[in-house]
Amino acid sequence: MGRGKFKGKPTGRRQFSTPEEMLAGTSSRPRTFKKEEAEVEEDRSDEESEESSEDESDRKKGSQSVIEIENPNTTRPKTLKARDADMEKSTELSRREREEIEKQRAHERYMKLQEQGKTEQARKDLERLALIRQQRADAAKKREEEKAAKDQKKIEARK
């Protein structure tokens, strides 16, 4: 017979005791499970306390007592106090950070050589600049000559 979309748990449905059953004491479930468990633990602890009192402080929960492994996922304190920090210890940079610093230093060196005119590009730029200055000087000289010739013609035309 079909049970529908959702199947029930194999343990069955939950059984709830009514307040009347609890007061009457006819409930099938124990009224205080923790009290019964505590009584059982007290009996055990009496026996163990006689054997050794040191084991109680070392007792661990669950499988920790069986397996002694440090969990790599546990968080460690990230903040250090100034007095605890080791000043002599140098922090190693990652590959990307090192490459970025090297790139910046190489660029600075290149720019320094560029300013001094020692690189090929700087030489070409200086040659081009010298050529442009020469052309401008020639053009200015030519304009001066033309202006002088024009003035000369005006003076001759007036006479």
Side-chain angles (χ1 to χ4, degrees):
M1 183 175 220
R3 291 193 255 178
K5 185 175 180 183
F6 299 105
K7 297 179 180 177
K9 293 187 178 180
T11 55
R13 304 174 111 198
R14 288 188 175 179
Q15 300 289 328
F16 294 103
S17 305
T18 62
E20 293 85 28
E21 289 177 340
M22 290 178 73
L23 290 174
T26 58
S27 175
S28 61
R29 183 170 162 239
R31 191 168 181 188
T32 54
F33 182 72
K34 289 185 180 180
K35 286 184 181 177
E36 290 178 11
E37 191 175 294
E39 290 174 8
V40 172
E41 281 189 31
E42 285 179 23
D43 295 337
R44 288 185 198 158
S45 63
D46 290 339
E47 294 171 5
E48 288 177 5
S49 63
E50 294 171 1
E51 294 173 7
S52 65
S53 59
E54 296 174 6
D55 291 340
E56 289 181 25
S57 61
D58 296 337
R59 179 177 268 176
K60 296 180 181 176
K61 293 182 179 179
S63 63
Q64 290 179 347
S65 61
V66 177
I67 303 171
E68 300 272 339
I69 299 175
E70 183 178 330
N71 187 354
N73 296 327
T74 56
T75 57
R76 293 181 180 88
K78 293 181 181 178
T79 55
L80 290 174
K81 294 187 178 180
R83 61 179 177 186
D84 296 336
D86 191 8
M87 297 303 287
E88 292 135 17
K89 183 180 178 185
S90 63
T91 57
E92 293 187 27
L93 301 174
S94 67
R95 178 185 56 85
R96 286 184 181 171
E97 291 172 338
R98 280 195 309 270
E99 288 176 357
E100 184 66 29
I101 291 171
E102 288 176 20
K103 188 176 178 182
Q104 288 175 354
R105 287 181 182 162
H107 183 70
E108 289 172 7
R109 270 187 261 118
Y110 181 77
M111 293 309 286
K112 198 181 249 184
L113 291 174
Q114 185 86 354
E115 288 174 8
Q116 295 172 359
K118 294 183 178 178
T119 62
E120 222 173 284
Q121 185 178 358
R123 287 187 202 121
K124 288 179 183 176
D125 289 344
L126 290 173
E127 288 173 9
R128 208 176 308 124
L129 186 62
L131 182 65
I132 291 170
R133 282 183 182 160
Q134 183 65 35
Q135 289 173 350
R136 287 181 183 170
D138 292 343
K141 193 175 185 182
K142 189 176 179 182
R143 279 194 304 270
E144 286 292 323
E145 289 174 2
E146 287 177 0
K147 189 175 183 183
K150 204 176 197 182
D151 288 341
Q152 194 69 20
K153 282 185 182 179
K154 275 188 181 179
I155 292 173
E156 287 178 12
R158 285 186 188 171
K159 288 184 183 178

